mmCIF file with all atom_site columns, all heavy atoms in Angstrom:
data_model
loop_
_atom_site.group_PDB
_atom_site.id
_atom_site.type_symbol
_atom_site.label_atom_id
_atom_site.label_alt_id
_atom_site.label_comp_id
_atom_site.label_asym_id
_atom_site.label_entity_id
_atom_site.label_seq_id
_atom_site.pdbx_PDB_ins_code
_atom_site.Cartn_x
_atom_site.Cartn_y
_atom_site.Cartn_z
_atom_site.occupancy
_atom_site.B_iso_or_equiv
_atom_site.pdbx_formal_charge
_atom_site.auth_seq_id
_atom_site.auth_comp_id
_atom_site.auth_asym_id
_atom_site.auth_atom_id
_atom_site.pdbx_PDB_model_num
ATOM 1  N N   . MET A 1 118 ? -140.644 -153.194 -41.519 1.00 95.00 ? 388 MET A N   1
ATOM 2  C CA  . MET A 1 118 ? -141.072 -151.864 -40.968 1.00 95.00 ? 388 MET A CA  1
ATOM 3  C C   . MET A 1 118 ? -139.953 -151.237 -40.179 1.00 95.00 ? 388 MET A C   1
ATOM 4  O O   . MET A 1 118 ? -139.988 -150.878 -39.020 1.00 95.00 ? 388 MET A O   1
ATOM 5  C CB  . MET A 1 118 ? -142.330 -152.005 -40.054 1.00 95.00 ? 388 MET A CB  1
ATOM 6  C CG  . MET A 1 118 ? -143.519 -152.681 -40.701 1.00 95.00 ? 388 MET A CG  1
ATOM 7  S SD  . MET A 1 118 ? -144.444 -151.599 -41.710 1.00 95.00 ? 388 MET A SD  1
ATOM 8  C CE  . MET A 1 118 ? -145.626 -151.026 -40.603 1.00 95.00 ? 388 MET A CE  1
ATOM 9  N N   . GLY A 1 119 ? -138.699 -151.209 -40.836 1.00 95.00 ? 389 GLY A N   1
ATOM 10 C CA  . GLY A 1 119 ? -137.530 -150.739 -40.100 1.00 95.00 ? 389 GLY A CA  1
ATOM 11 C C   . GLY A 1 119 ? -137.613 -149.431 -39.554 1.00 95.00 ? 389 GLY A C   1
ATOM 12 O O   . GLY A 1 119 ? -137.006 -149.212 -38.499 1.00 95.00 ? 389 GLY A O   1
ATOM 13 N N   . TRP A 1 120 ? -138.451 -148.601 -39.994 1.00 96.00 ? 390 TRP A N   1
ATOM 14 C CA  . TRP A 1 120 ? -138.626 -147.191 -39.454 1.00 96.00 ? 390 TRP A CA  1
ATOM 15 C C   . TRP A 1 120 ? -139.026 -147.337 -37.988 1.00 96.00 ? 390 TRP A C   1
ATOM 16 O O   . TRP A 1 120 ? -138.779 -146.424 -37.216 1.00 96.00 ? 390 TRP A O   1
ATOM 17 C CB  . TRP A 1 120 ? -139.656 -146.390 -40.292 1.00 96.00 ? 390 TRP A CB  1
ATOM 18 C CG  . TRP A 1 120 ? -141.043 -147.063 -40.382 1.00 96.00 ? 390 TRP A CG  1
ATOM 19 C CD1 . TRP A 1 120 ? -141.411 -147.864 -41.414 1.00 96.00 ? 390 TRP A CD1 1
ATOM 20 C CD2 . TRP A 1 120 ? -142.003 -147.121 -39.381 1.00 96.00 ? 390 TRP A CD2 1
ATOM 21 N NE1 . TRP A 1 120 ? -142.665 -148.310 -41.152 1.00 96.00 ? 390 TRP A NE1 1
ATOM 22 C CE2 . TRP A 1 120 ? -143.062 -147.869 -39.864 1.00 96.00 ? 390 TRP A CE2 1
ATOM 23 C CE3 . TRP A 1 120 ? -142.143 -146.504 -38.100 1.00 96.00 ? 390 TRP A CE3 1
ATOM 24 C CZ2 . TRP A 1 120 ? -144.288 -148.136 -39.219 1.00 96.00 ? 390 TRP A CZ2 1
ATOM 25 C CZ3 . TRP A 1 120 ? -143.375 -146.729 -37.433 1.00 96.00 ? 390 TRP A CZ3 1
ATOM 26 C CH2 . TRP A 1 120 ? -144.397 -147.525 -38.005 1.00 96.00 ? 390 TRP A CH2 1
ATOM 27 N N   . ALA A 1 121 ? -139.768 -148.348 -37.638 1.00 97.00 ? 391 ALA A N   1
ATOM 28 C CA  . ALA A 1 121 ? -140.242 -148.468 -36.201 1.00 97.00 ? 391 ALA A CA  1
ATOM 29 C C   . ALA A 1 121 ? -139.054 -148.807 -35.303 1.00 97.00 ? 391 ALA A C   1
ATOM 30 O O   . ALA A 1 121 ? -139.112 -148.413 -34.065 1.00 97.00 ? 391 ALA A O   1
ATOM 31 C CB  . ALA A 1 121 ? -141.239 -149.634 -36.119 1.00 97.00 ? 391 ALA A CB  1
ATOM 32 N N   . LEU A 1 122 ? -138.047 -149.431 -35.793 1.00 97.00 ? 392 LEU A N   1
ATOM 33 C CA  . LEU A 1 122 ? -136.745 -149.691 -34.991 1.00 97.00 ? 392 LEU A CA  1
ATOM 34 C C   . LEU A 1 122 ? -136.151 -148.257 -34.707 1.00 97.00 ? 392 LEU A C   1
ATOM 35 O O   . LEU A 1 122 ? -135.585 -147.964 -33.655 1.00 97.00 ? 392 LEU A O   1
ATOM 36 C CB  . LEU A 1 122 ? -135.804 -150.494 -35.674 1.00 97.00 ? 392 LEU A CB  1
ATOM 37 C CG  . LEU A 1 122 ? -136.176 -151.971 -35.921 1.00 97.00 ? 392 LEU A CG  1
ATOM 38 C CD1 . LEU A 1 122 ? -135.218 -152.711 -36.902 1.00 97.00 ? 392 LEU A CD1 1
ATOM 39 C CD2 . LEU A 1 122 ? -136.304 -152.732 -34.615 1.00 97.00 ? 392 LEU A CD2 1
ATOM 40 N N   . GLY A 1 123 ? -136.278 -147.373 -35.700 1.00 96.00 ? 393 GLY A N   1
ATOM 41 C CA  . GLY A 1 123 ? -135.749 -145.990 -35.531 1.00 96.00 ? 393 GLY A CA  1
ATOM 42 C C   . GLY A 1 123 ? -136.507 -145.260 -34.425 1.00 96.00 ? 393 GLY A C   1
ATOM 43 O O   . GLY A 1 123 ? -135.907 -144.546 -33.604 1.00 96.00 ? 393 GLY A O   1
ATOM 44 N N   . VAL A 1 124 ? -137.835 -145.433 -34.382 1.00 97.00 ? 394 VAL A N   1
ATOM 45 C CA  . VAL A 1 124 ? -138.621 -144.828 -33.412 1.00 97.00 ? 394 VAL A CA  1
ATOM 46 C C   . VAL A 1 124 ? -138.231 -145.335 -32.002 1.00 97.00 ? 394 VAL A C   1
ATOM 47 O O   . VAL A 1 124 ? -138.095 -144.456 -31.042 1.00 97.00 ? 394 VAL A O   1
ATOM 48 C CB  . VAL A 1 124 ? -140.155 -145.061 -33.610 1.00 97.00 ? 394 VAL A CB  1
ATOM 49 C CG1 . VAL A 1 124 ? -141.046 -144.564 -32.406 1.00 97.00 ? 394 VAL A CG1 1
ATOM 50 C CG2 . VAL A 1 124 ? -140.697 -144.366 -34.872 1.00 97.00 ? 394 VAL A CG2 1
ATOM 51 N N   . ALA A 1 125 ? -138.054 -146.613 -31.853 1.00 97.00 ? 395 ALA A N   1
ATOM 52 C CA  . ALA A 1 125 ? -137.645 -147.160 -30.634 1.00 97.00 ? 395 ALA A CA  1
ATOM 53 C C   . ALA A 1 125 ? -136.291 -146.719 -30.165 1.00 97.00 ? 395 ALA A C   1
ATOM 54 O O   . ALA A 1 125 ? -136.003 -146.484 -28.992 1.00 97.00 ? 395 ALA A O   1
ATOM 55 C CB  . ALA A 1 125 ? -137.727 -148.690 -30.675 1.00 97.00 ? 395 ALA A CB  1
ATOM 56 N N   . GLU A 1 126 ? -135.361 -146.605 -31.173 1.00 96.00 ? 396 GLU A N   1
ATOM 57 C CA  . GLU A 1 126 ? -133.966 -146.079 -30.832 1.00 96.00 ? 396 GLU A CA  1
ATOM 58 C C   . GLU A 1 126 ? -134.008 -144.716 -30.330 1.00 96.00 ? 396 GLU A C   1
ATOM 59 O O   . GLU A 1 126 ? -133.419 -144.393 -29.323 1.00 96.00 ? 396 GLU A O   1
ATOM 60 C CB  . GLU A 1 126 ? -133.152 -146.237 -32.125 1.00 96.00 ? 396 GLU A CB  1
ATOM 61 C CG  . GLU A 1 126 ? -131.648 -146.019 -31.846 1.00 96.00 ? 396 GLU A CG  1
ATOM 62 C CD  . GLU A 1 126 ? -130.828 -146.140 -33.079 1.00 96.00 ? 396 GLU A CD  1
ATOM 63 O OE1 . GLU A 1 126 ? -131.280 -146.271 -34.155 1.00 96.00 ? 396 GLU A OE1 1
ATOM 64 O OE2 . GLU A 1 126 ? -129.614 -146.248 -32.908 1.00 96.00 ? 396 GLU A OE2 1
ATOM 65 N N   . LYS A 1 127 ? -134.863 -143.896 -30.912 1.00 96.00 ? 397 LYS A N   1
ATOM 66 C CA  . LYS A 1 127 ? -135.019 -142.535 -30.493 1.00 96.00 ? 397 LYS A CA  1
ATOM 67 C C   . LYS A 1 127 ? -135.508 -142.438 -29.050 1.00 96.00 ? 397 LYS A C   1
ATOM 68 O O   . LYS A 1 127 ? -135.165 -141.587 -28.295 1.00 96.00 ? 397 LYS A O   1
ATOM 69 C CB  . LYS A 1 127 ? -135.995 -141.833 -31.525 1.00 96.00 ? 397 LYS A CB  1
ATOM 70 C CG  . LYS A 1 127 ? -136.276 -140.323 -31.141 1.00 96.00 ? 397 LYS A CG  1
ATOM 71 C CD  . LYS A 1 127 ? -137.352 -139.767 -32.156 1.00 96.00 ? 397 LYS A CD  1
ATOM 72 C CE  . LYS A 1 127 ? -137.878 -138.460 -31.714 1.00 96.00 ? 397 LYS A CE  1
ATOM 73 N NZ  . LYS A 1 127 ? -138.973 -137.993 -32.527 1.00 96.00 ? 397 LYS A NZ  1
ATOM 74 N N   . LEU A 1 128 ? -136.440 -143.379 -28.679 1.00 96.00 ? 398 LEU A N   1
ATOM 75 C CA  . LEU A 1 128 ? -137.007 -143.383 -27.305 1.00 96.00 ? 398 LEU A CA  1
ATOM 76 C C   . LEU A 1 128 ? -136.263 -144.264 -26.468 1.00 96.00 ? 398 LEU A C   1
ATOM 77 O O   . LEU A 1 128 ? -136.675 -144.412 -25.350 1.00 96.00 ? 398 LEU A O   1
ATOM 78 C CB  . LEU A 1 128 ? -138.529 -143.880 -27.463 1.00 96.00 ? 398 LEU A CB  1
ATOM 79 C CG  . LEU A 1 128 ? -139.425 -143.016 -28.284 1.00 96.00 ? 398 LEU A CG  1
ATOM 80 C CD1 . LEU A 1 128 ? -140.807 -143.696 -28.464 1.00 96.00 ? 398 LEU A CD1 1
ATOM 81 C CD2 . LEU A 1 128 ? -139.578 -141.622 -27.668 1.00 96.00 ? 398 LEU A CD2 1
ATOM 82 N N   . ASN A 1 129 ? -135.073 -144.702 -26.840 1.00 95.00 ? 399 ASN A N   1
ATOM 83 C CA  . ASN A 1 129 ? -134.139 -145.486 -26.033 1.00 95.00 ? 399 ASN A CA  1
ATOM 84 C C   . ASN A 1 129 ? -134.869 -146.775 -25.439 1.00 95.00 ? 399 ASN A C   1
ATOM 85 O O   . ASN A 1 129 ? -134.722 -147.108 -24.307 1.00 95.00 ? 399 ASN A O   1
ATOM 86 C CB  . ASN A 1 129 ? -133.591 -144.608 -24.832 1.00 95.00 ? 399 ASN A CB  1
ATOM 87 C CG  . ASN A 1 129 ? -132.359 -145.158 -24.349 1.00 95.00 ? 399 ASN A CG  1
ATOM 88 O OD1 . ASN A 1 129 ? -131.606 -146.026 -25.026 1.00 95.00 ? 399 ASN A OD1 1
ATOM 89 N ND2 . ASN A 1 129 ? -132.031 -144.971 -23.027 1.00 95.00 ? 399 ASN A ND2 1
#
Side-chain angles (χ1 to χ4, degrees):
M388 305 279 267
W390 56 264
L392 294 168
V394 171
E396 189 175 15
K397 178 183 171 185
L398 299 174
N399 200 25

